Structure formats: structure tokens, C-alpha cells
Amino acid sequence: MKEIKLVLAGCGTVFPVYLGVLKAIEVLDISISGINCTSGGALIGSLIASGFNSSKLEEVVTNMDFKSMQDWSLNPFYKMGLLNGDNILKTLKNLTNRSFSSAVIPINIVTTDIETADTVMLNVSTAPNVLLADAARASLAIPLLFKYYELVGKKLVDGGTTNNFNIDGFGEELNIVGIRAIGTRTTEKINIANPISYIGKIAEIMIEANEREHIKDAVYANIKKIVVPYDNLSFNHTKEDVKKMIKIGNRVRLPITPCIVN
């Protein structure tokens, strides 16, 4: 069977694109033997690792209420975030109760320790009993936008702060495929009109810089960038928007030259 290891970069709220990529992988009859993922990529990655195929994921993602993710905090100074992140966590926990030790596919979720600025990799070795939903919630906690999340004795925020694209996390294997979904907040000038747009743009500047460093070191990987004509920090995506993002991901010619395994 043909086999790859999949890396999904942080992408904000344009993560439905990765579902389209998964559909393309399934059509090629390729199995995924490992996942490295960050932030929005961790949301989709955690569900793939829980055993969701593209059909089941499509049903879930197209019915997600993006506006409900914008759950404003009454006390933004508590855990330092404008948004609680509780609704995203509830959605994930309603979908999967798997931990790293019970994952169908081995997965590594990237987070950042806000107190030490260290990258914290959550996986079966470092956090075997941690639920994938909890790890994904920590990984997508954009500093100051979402409250930090406490796991494994640490205060964790968005993995993209230090490593948005863990493409070098699998080492020098030849069957690595990395996907970067880039929204308009990254590629276009935006109007700084509110705290979310301000914090989001700062985060994108930092993330883009550290992404380039990891890509530079990933000489063995196949990497594909997908430019998506949607704001990657918008909570107003409709069901039709989601369907279009899935189609964009599905149309991309994947950089796959998979290894053959017995």
C-alpha cells in the first residue's frame, strides 16, 4: 500500500481546505501513517487521527457554526484572551474522545509554552493520556485572542507562535507531504478595524517568519502551498464558504511521491 506522513500547517479558520486535501489523498488510495499539525491544522488533524474519513469529516465541517467559535470572554484578563475557546473545545469533545494513546493514526500536535517560549510537542510519548480535543484546543490558542490552555502542567498557546509548520518533525523520511493553507489575512493588506484584526495580523507576521525557517530546513519534504480567497481569522464563514474551501483543497495537485510499504 502507498503511504505518506502528513503535515498540516496552522491556517486559522480556513481549515476546511485540509478536508479537500484528505479527499484527494483518499482518491489516490494512499494511507496516512502519521500526522504533524498545528493550530487550525490540529483541529482537522485530531479528527483524522481519531479515524474520521473525508465523508464523515465533510458532514461535520460543513455543519460547523463558525460564529459560535467567537465566544467573548467577560474577563479578558483571566488567562489573557478575548475569546474563551470553550465552544471549539465542546465541539471537538462531542466528536472525539480519543487520547494520544488511543489515536487511530499517530499524531503530533504542536503547542507553545507561553511562560518559557518553548515549543511543546504533544504526542503519545509526552502526553499519552491527554485527549486530542484538549491538545487541539491548546494548539489553536492564538495569544491574546483565545485564552491560553493548561495541559501537562504548562500554560499553552498556539503552536504557530514558535512552529506553525512542523515539516521537519518527521526527520529525513522521504514520504512526507506538507500542506500550507494561506488565507487573505496573510496575503493581502487588511483594515485594522478591531482587536481581532489587530491581534490576528500581528500573529500572522510572526507565524509567517517562523514558517520560512522550518521550510528552509525541510529538504526531504514535498510541500504544497494553497492560497485560499478567504480571511483566515474570520468567524463568518457560511456553509457555502466551507464547501468552496473544500473544493479548493480537493482541486490542488498534491506533491505526492509516496513510498510503497508492505
Side-chain angles (χ1 to χ4, degrees):
M1 175 181 284
K2 292 179 275 190
E3 182 181 279
I4 62 167
K5 287 182 167 61
L6 183 64
V7 183
L8 300 176
C11 61
T13 57
V14 297
F15 59 81
V17 170
Y18 292 146
L19 170 53
V21 172
L22 177 63
K23 293 177 74 171
I25 290 171
E26 289 177 352
V27 167
L28 294 172
D29 195 26
I30 294 171
S31 68
I32 299 170
S33 61
I35 302 170
N36 272 349
C37 52
T38 308
S39 197
L43 191 154
I44 290 292
S46 64
L47 296 177
I48 296 173
S50 296
F52 281 66
N53 60 24
S54 63
S55 297
K56 190 173 181 182
L57 257 181
E58 186 165 14
E59 180 182 350
V60 166
V61 173
T62 53
N63 287 294
M64 277 188 174
D65 182 0
F66 281 77
K67 288 186 177 180
S68 74
M69 297 179 188
Q70 198 169 336
D71 52 350
W72 294 97
S73 171
L74 296 177
N75 182 6
F77 293 103
Y78 174 67
K79 296 191 174 181
M80 300 300 172
L82 296 174
L83 305 179
N84 292 312
D86 294 341
N87 289 347
I88 293 177
L89 180 61
K90 182 180 178 181
T91 296
L92 287 170
K93 286 194 170 181
N94 284 339
L95 294 169
T96 177
N97 62 358
R98 289 190 180 272
S99 65
F100 284 98
S101 60
S102 64
V104 176
I105 300 172
I107 183 172
N108 186 66
I109 294 179
V110 185
T111 66
T112 300
D113 185 332
I114 193 61
E115 294 184 312
T116 65
D118 293 328
T119 299
V120 177
M121 304 293 184
L122 299 176
N123 51 49
V124 71
S125 297
T126 64
N129 298 319
V130 167
L131 295 178
L132 300 184
D134 285 313
R137 162 63 181 86
S139 184
L140 56 78
I142 297 172
L144 299 180
L145 181 58
F146 285 102
K147 295 184 182 300
Y148 65 75
Y149 199 66
E150 295 184 72
L151 275 181
V152 296
K154 303 177 189 296
K155 295 174 181 176
L156 301 177
V157 296
D158 195 324
T161 310
T162 53
N163 188 348
N164 196 55
F165 192 40
N166 190 29
I167 191 68
D168 46 351
F170 284 125
E172 297 181 356
E173 298 187 39
L174 297 177
N175 60 336
I176 301 168
V177 174
I179 308 295
R180 301 170 63 215
I182 310 294
T184 56
R185 188 171 295 270
T186 303
T187 59
E188 298 177 6
K189 180 179 179 180
I190 66 163
N191 180 32
I192 303 299
N194 55 56
I196 288 183
S197 62
Y198 181 71
I199 293 169
K201 191 60 181 180
I202 292 173
E204 285 297 332
I205 292 168
M206 294 188 301
I207 286 168
E208 185 70 14
N210 81 53
E211 237 182 50
R212 286 195 292 269
E213 288 301 307
H214 290 281
I215 292 171
K216 182 179 68 176
D217 295 335
V219 295
Y220 293 90
N222 300 298
I223 299 172
K224 183 68 178 181
K225 179 172 75 173
I226 305 174
V227 177
V228 189
Y230 289 94
D231 185 342
N232 40 312
L233 208 58
S234 171
F235 296 95
N236 295 314
H237 299 318
T238 65
K239 184 177 289 191
E240 287 306 309
D241 293 335
V242 170
K243 289 179 180 179
K244 289 177 182 177
M245 283 188 259
I246 293 171
K247 287 182 179 179
I248 290 169
N250 189 232
R251 286 200 303 262
V252 169
R253 177 172 291 183
L254 294 174
I256 293 178
T257 52
C259 293
I260 307 297
V261 296
N262 293 325

